[in-house]
Amino acid sequence: MLRNKVPAVTALFWVTKLLTTAMGETTSDYLVKNYDPVIAVIAAFVVFAAALALQFAVRRYIPWVYWLTVLMVAVFGTMVADVIHIVIGVPYYVSTVFFAIVLAAVFLVWYRSQRTLSVHHIDTRAREFFYWCAVLATFALGTAVGDLTATTFGLGYLASGILFGVLFAIPGAAYRWWGMGATAAFWTSYVLTRPFGASISDWLAVSHARGGLDLGPGPVSLALFAGIVVCVIVMTARRPGDPADPARASVPEGSPAA
Protein backbone atom coordinates (compact mmCIF):
# COMPACT_ATOMS: atom_id res chain seq x y z
CA MET A 1 0.00 0.00 0.00
CA LEU A 2 1.34 3.40 -0.99
CA ARG A 3 0.72 6.68 0.76
CA ASN A 4 -1.75 8.90 -1.05
CA LYS A 5 0.24 10.27 -3.98
CA VAL A 6 -1.78 13.31 -5.00
CA PRO A 7 -2.15 16.70 -3.32
CA ALA A 8 -5.06 17.86 -1.23
CA VAL A 9 -7.59 19.84 -3.22
CA THR A 10 -7.14 23.31 -1.77
CA ALA A 11 -7.19 26.78 -3.30
CA LEU A 12 -3.43 26.44 -3.87
CA PHE A 13 -4.03 23.20 -5.77
CA TRP A 14 -6.40 24.92 -8.20
CA VAL A 15 -4.09 27.91 -8.65
CA THR A 16 -1.17 25.62 -9.47
CA LYS A 17 -3.27 23.48 -11.79
CA LEU A 18 -4.43 26.56 -13.72
CA LEU A 19 -0.86 27.84 -13.99
CA THR A 20 0.37 24.51 -15.40
CA THR A 21 -2.40 24.30 -17.99
CA ALA A 22 -1.76 27.89 -19.02
CA MET A 23 1.99 27.31 -19.28
CA GLY A 24 1.46 24.11 -21.24
CA GLU A 25 -0.33 26.06 -23.95
CA THR A 26 2.19 28.87 -24.38
CA THR A 27 5.25 26.64 -23.94
CA SER A 28 4.03 24.30 -26.66
CA ASP A 29 3.44 27.25 -28.99
CA TYR A 30 6.87 28.69 -28.27
CA LEU A 31 8.73 25.41 -28.84
CA VAL A 32 7.06 24.42 -32.10
CA LYS A 33 7.43 27.92 -33.55
CA ASN A 34 11.08 28.44 -32.59
CA TYR A 35 12.48 24.95 -33.08
CA ASP A 36 11.99 22.08 -35.47
CA PRO A 37 8.45 20.85 -34.58
CA VAL A 38 9.41 17.18 -34.88
CA ILE A 39 12.38 17.60 -32.53
CA ALA A 40 10.26 19.68 -30.13
CA VAL A 41 7.54 17.03 -29.95
CA ILE A 42 10.05 14.20 -29.45
CA ALA A 43 11.88 16.13 -26.74
CA ALA A 44 8.62 16.95 -24.97
CA PHE A 45 7.61 13.29 -25.09
CA VAL A 46 10.92 12.19 -23.58
CA VAL A 47 10.60 14.64 -20.68
CA PHE A 48 6.92 13.73 -20.22
CA ALA A 49 7.73 9.99 -20.12
CA ALA A 50 10.59 10.57 -17.66
CA ALA A 51 8.41 12.70 -15.38
CA LEU A 52 5.62 10.12 -15.40
CA ALA A 53 8.08 7.30 -14.68
CA LEU A 54 9.50 9.29 -11.76
CA GLN A 55 6.01 9.96 -10.41
CA PHE A 56 5.26 6.23 -10.45
CA ALA A 57 8.65 5.41 -8.90
CA VAL A 58 8.23 7.49 -5.75
CA ARG A 59 6.12 6.03 -2.96
CA ARG A 60 4.54 9.22 -1.64
CA TYR A 61 3.38 12.61 -2.83
CA ILE A 62 6.37 14.85 -3.60
CA PRO A 63 5.23 18.27 -4.81
CA TRP A 64 7.88 18.97 -7.44
CA VAL A 65 7.61 15.46 -8.92
CA TYR A 66 3.81 15.56 -9.10
CA TRP A 67 3.60 19.06 -10.59
CA LEU A 68 6.41 18.41 -13.07
CA THR A 69 4.33 15.49 -14.34
CA VAL A 70 1.19 17.61 -14.59
CA LEU A 71 3.12 20.34 -16.40
CA MET A 72 4.52 17.89 -18.94
CA VAL A 73 1.05 16.46 -19.51
CA ALA A 74 0.06 20.02 -20.42
CA VAL A 75 3.03 20.70 -22.70
CA PHE A 76 3.14 17.38 -24.55
CA GLY A 77 -0.64 17.06 -24.57
CA THR A 78 -1.02 20.44 -26.26
CA MET A 79 1.41 19.36 -28.95
CA VAL A 80 -0.51 16.14 -29.56
CA ALA A 81 -3.81 18.02 -29.72
CA ASP A 82 -2.35 20.42 -32.29
CA VAL A 83 -1.11 17.51 -34.40
CA ILE A 84 -4.55 15.88 -34.31
CA HIS A 85 -6.22 19.04 -35.62
CA ILE A 86 -3.60 20.78 -37.76
CA VAL A 87 -1.73 17.81 -39.24
CA ILE A 88 -4.39 15.09 -39.32
CA GLY A 89 -7.27 17.52 -39.82
CA VAL A 90 -9.69 16.20 -37.20
CA PRO A 91 -12.37 18.87 -36.47
CA TYR A 92 -12.56 20.12 -32.90
CA TYR A 93 -16.16 18.97 -32.44
CA VAL A 94 -15.15 15.44 -33.42
CA SER A 95 -12.22 15.36 -31.00
CA THR A 96 -14.44 16.82 -28.26
CA VAL A 97 -16.96 13.98 -28.60
CA PHE A 98 -14.20 11.38 -28.90
CA PHE A 99 -12.30 12.47 -25.79
CA ALA A 100 -15.55 12.77 -23.80
CA ILE A 101 -16.20 9.10 -24.61
CA VAL A 102 -12.61 8.20 -23.67
CA LEU A 103 -12.90 9.98 -20.31
CA ALA A 104 -16.24 8.31 -19.58
CA ALA A 105 -14.68 4.94 -20.37
CA VAL A 106 -11.74 5.62 -18.04
CA PHE A 107 -14.08 6.55 -15.20
CA LEU A 108 -16.27 3.52 -15.83
CA VAL A 109 -13.39 1.04 -15.80
CA TRP A 110 -11.80 2.78 -12.80
CA TYR A 111 -15.00 2.67 -10.78
CA ARG A 112 -15.81 -0.93 -11.66
CA SER A 113 -12.30 -1.95 -10.67
CA GLN A 114 -11.82 0.12 -7.52
CA ARG A 115 -15.39 1.11 -6.50
CA THR A 116 -14.27 4.71 -6.05
CA LEU A 117 -13.06 7.67 -8.07
CA SER A 118 -11.90 9.57 -4.99
CA VAL A 119 -8.54 11.33 -5.15
CA HIS A 120 -8.10 10.77 -1.39
CA HIS A 121 -7.19 7.15 -1.98
CA ILE A 122 -4.61 7.09 -4.76
CA ASP A 123 -2.67 4.62 -2.67
CA THR A 124 -2.28 1.55 -4.90
CA ARG A 125 -0.59 1.10 -8.25
CA ALA A 126 -3.93 0.37 -9.93
CA ARG A 127 -5.54 3.54 -8.60
CA GLU A 128 -2.50 5.57 -9.54
CA PHE A 129 -2.66 4.18 -13.07
CA PHE A 130 -6.35 5.03 -13.41
CA TYR A 131 -5.77 8.49 -11.93
CA TRP A 132 -3.16 9.43 -14.53
CA CYS A 133 -5.26 7.96 -17.32
CA ALA A 134 -8.06 10.26 -16.14
CA VAL A 135 -5.70 13.25 -15.96
CA LEU A 136 -4.58 12.64 -19.54
CA ALA A 137 -8.17 12.22 -20.73
CA THR A 138 -9.40 15.34 -18.93
CA PHE A 139 -6.61 17.34 -20.49
CA ALA A 140 -7.41 16.03 -23.97
CA LEU A 141 -11.10 16.81 -23.52
CA GLY A 142 -10.44 20.25 -22.09
CA THR A 143 -8.10 21.05 -24.98
CA ALA A 144 -10.70 20.08 -27.55
CA VAL A 145 -13.48 22.03 -25.83
CA GLY A 146 -11.35 25.15 -25.45
CA ASP A 147 -10.30 25.14 -29.10
CA LEU A 148 -13.89 24.46 -30.14
CA THR A 149 -15.23 27.58 -28.43
CA ALA A 150 -12.30 29.88 -29.27
CA THR A 151 -11.97 29.02 -32.95
CA THR A 152 -14.84 26.94 -34.32
CA PHE A 153 -17.49 28.94 -32.45
CA GLY A 154 -15.54 32.18 -32.91
CA LEU A 155 -15.64 33.39 -29.31
CA GLY A 156 -11.95 34.23 -29.23
CA TYR A 157 -9.55 33.67 -26.36
CA LEU A 158 -10.69 36.27 -23.83
CA ALA A 159 -14.38 35.45 -24.13
CA SER A 160 -13.58 31.74 -23.93
CA GLY A 161 -11.46 32.34 -20.83
CA ILE A 162 -14.29 34.22 -19.13
CA LEU A 163 -16.80 31.55 -20.12
CA PHE A 164 -14.69 28.72 -18.76
CA GLY A 165 -13.80 30.69 -15.64
CA VAL A 166 -17.50 30.92 -14.80
CA LEU A 167 -18.06 27.24 -15.66
CA PHE A 168 -15.04 26.27 -13.55
CA ALA A 169 -16.55 27.92 -10.47
CA ILE A 170 -20.00 26.34 -10.85
CA PRO A 171 -19.16 22.79 -9.60
CA GLY A 172 -17.68 24.20 -6.39
CA ALA A 173 -20.81 26.24 -5.79
CA ALA A 174 -22.96 23.25 -6.71
CA TYR A 175 -21.13 21.10 -4.17
CA ARG A 176 -21.35 23.67 -1.40
CA TRP A 177 -24.94 24.81 -1.81
CA TRP A 178 -26.82 22.53 -4.20
CA GLY A 179 -25.86 19.03 -3.17
CA MET A 180 -23.53 18.03 -6.00
CA GLY A 181 -21.29 15.09 -5.12
CA ALA A 182 -17.74 16.01 -4.15
CA THR A 183 -16.04 13.64 -6.57
CA ALA A 184 -18.24 14.71 -9.49
CA ALA A 185 -17.59 18.37 -8.65
CA PHE A 186 -13.85 17.80 -8.52
CA TRP A 187 -13.53 16.06 -11.87
CA THR A 188 -15.88 18.51 -13.60
CA SER A 189 -13.77 21.44 -12.42
CA TYR A 190 -10.59 19.54 -13.29
CA VAL A 191 -11.65 19.20 -16.93
CA LEU A 192 -12.46 22.92 -17.09
CA THR A 193 -9.07 24.06 -15.76
CA ARG A 194 -7.51 23.31 -19.14
CA PRO A 195 -9.69 25.48 -21.41
CA PHE A 196 -9.85 28.16 -18.69
CA GLY A 197 -6.08 28.43 -18.18
CA ALA A 198 -5.13 27.92 -21.81
CA SER A 199 -7.61 30.51 -23.11
CA ILE A 200 -6.26 33.16 -20.74
CA SER A 201 -2.63 32.38 -21.57
CA ASP A 202 -3.39 32.47 -25.30
CA TRP A 203 -5.08 35.84 -24.86
CA LEU A 204 -1.99 37.16 -23.11
CA ALA A 205 0.44 35.72 -25.67
CA VAL A 206 -1.07 35.95 -29.17
CA SER A 207 -0.92 38.94 -31.48
CA HIS A 208 -3.38 41.83 -31.52
CA ALA A 209 -4.60 40.58 -34.89
CA ARG A 210 -5.72 37.36 -33.18
CA GLY A 211 -7.40 39.20 -30.32
CA GLY A 212 -4.57 38.96 -27.79
CA LEU A 213 -2.25 41.28 -25.88
CA ASP A 214 0.81 40.21 -27.92
CA LEU A 215 3.07 39.60 -24.91
CA GLY A 216 4.54 36.56 -26.64
CA PRO A 217 4.49 32.87 -25.62
CA GLY A 218 8.05 32.97 -24.29
CA PRO A 219 7.63 35.76 -21.72
CA VAL A 220 4.17 34.47 -20.70
CA SER A 221 5.58 30.96 -20.18
CA LEU A 222 8.42 32.30 -18.02
CA ALA A 223 6.00 34.31 -15.85
CA LEU A 224 3.73 31.30 -15.43
CA PHE A 225 6.69 29.06 -14.58
CA ALA A 226 7.76 31.49 -11.87
CA GLY A 227 4.26 31.28 -10.40
CA ILE A 228 4.38 27.48 -10.45
CA VAL A 229 7.76 27.46 -8.71
CA VAL A 230 6.41 29.69 -5.94
CA CYS A 231 3.38 27.44 -5.46
CA VAL A 232 5.52 24.28 -5.32
CA ILE A 233 7.91 25.88 -2.82
CA VAL A 234 4.96 26.73 -0.56
CA MET A 235 3.65 23.16 -0.81
CA THR A 236 7.08 21.70 -0.09
CA ALA A 237 7.61 23.96 2.92
CA ARG A 238 4.60 22.61 4.75
CA ARG A 239 5.69 20.73 7.83
CA PRO A 240 4.94 17.05 8.45
CA GLY A 241 1.71 16.80 10.37
CA ASP A 242 0.31 20.00 8.90
CA PRO A 243 -3.43 19.34 8.35
CA ALA A 244 -3.10 20.96 4.93
CA ASP A 245 -0.36 18.54 3.89
CA PRO A 246 -1.98 16.23 1.34
CA ALA A 247 0.39 13.36 1.99
CA ARG A 248 -0.63 13.19 5.65
CA ALA A 249 -4.11 14.60 5.81
CA SER A 250 -6.84 12.07 6.42
CA VAL A 251 -9.93 13.33 4.65
CA PRO A 252 -13.25 11.50 4.80
CA GLU A 253 -14.76 10.20 1.57
CA GLY A 254 -17.16 12.73 0.10
CA SER A 255 -15.50 15.80 1.61
CA PRO A 256 -15.08 18.98 -0.47
CA ALA A 257 -11.57 17.93 -1.40
CA ALA A 258 -12.70 14.68 -3.00
Side-chain angles (χ1 to χ4, degrees):
M1 180 73 71
L2 305 173
R3 301 176 74 172
N4 194 38
K5 291 184 64 179
V6 301
V9 186
T10 62
L12 185 59
F13 169 90
W14 290 118
V15 169
T16 313
K17 178 62 170 63
L18 287 166
L19 290 173
T20 58
T21 58
M23 182 180 169
E25 178 72 16
T26 52
T27 301
S28 173
D29 288 346
Y30 177 81
L31 292 175
V32 299
K33 291 177 180 178
N34 289 275
Y35 300 95
D36 185 306
V38 174
I39 295 176
V41 171
I42 293 173
F45 171 74
V46 170
V47 179
F48 160 70
L52 189 61
L54 181 59
Q55 170 64 24
F56 273 90
V58 299
R59 297 190 60 82
R60 62 183 179 86
Y61 165 69
I62 299 175
W64 74 265
V65 174
Y66 175 88
W67 289 108
L68 173 62
T69 308
V70 173
L71 177 60
M72 290 315 302
V73 168
V75 174
F76 178 65
T78 298
M79 292 179 175
V80 172
D82 288 342
V83 167
I84 290 174
H85 177 72
I86 297 171
V87 178
I88 301 177
V90 177
Y92 288 131
Y93 68 87
V94 173
S95 56
T96 296
V97 173
F98 173 75
F99 287 127
I101 293 172
V102 170
L103 180 59
V106 170
F107 283 146
L108 178 62
V109 176
W110 182 359
Y111 187 79
R112 285 187 173 180
S113 171
Q114 304 297 314
R115 310 309 299 176
T116 180
L117 301 178
S118 172
V119 296
H120 298 312
H121 303 290
I122 310 301
D123 49 15
T124 68
R125 290 300 183 194
R127 290 177 180 178
E128 187 175 16
F129 172 78
F130 285 123
Y131 174 84
W132 285 105
C133 284
V135 169
L136 288 165
T138 58
F139 184 88
L141 176 58
T143 299
V145 172
D147 290 336
L148 181 70
T149 61
T151 59
T152 303
F153 293 166
L155 291 183
Y157 298 114
L158 178 58
S160 289
I162 294 172
L163 170 65
F164 288 114
V166 172
L167 293 177
F168 165 76
I170 288 175
Y175 167 80
R176 183 173 297 275
W177 292 299
W178 307 322
M180 186 177 186
T183 299
F186 169 81
W187 284 113
T188 302
S189 291
Y190 200 92
V191 171
L192 292 166
T193 57
R194 199 287 168 183
F196 179 24
S199 295
I200 295 299
S201 64
D202 271 334
W203 173 64
L204 292 171
V206 302
S207 66
H208 297 302
R210 298 175 60 192
L213 297 184
D214 199 20
L215 300 179
V220 172
S221 293
L222 289 175
L224 292 168
F225 182 69
I228 294 168
V229 169
V230 170
C231 291
V232 171
I233 289 173
V234 171
M235 294 178 187
T236 304
R238 285 173 173 159
R239 298 170 299 171
D242 185 339
D245 185 340
R248 286 163 287 274
S250 177
V251 187
E253 188 80 25
S255 71

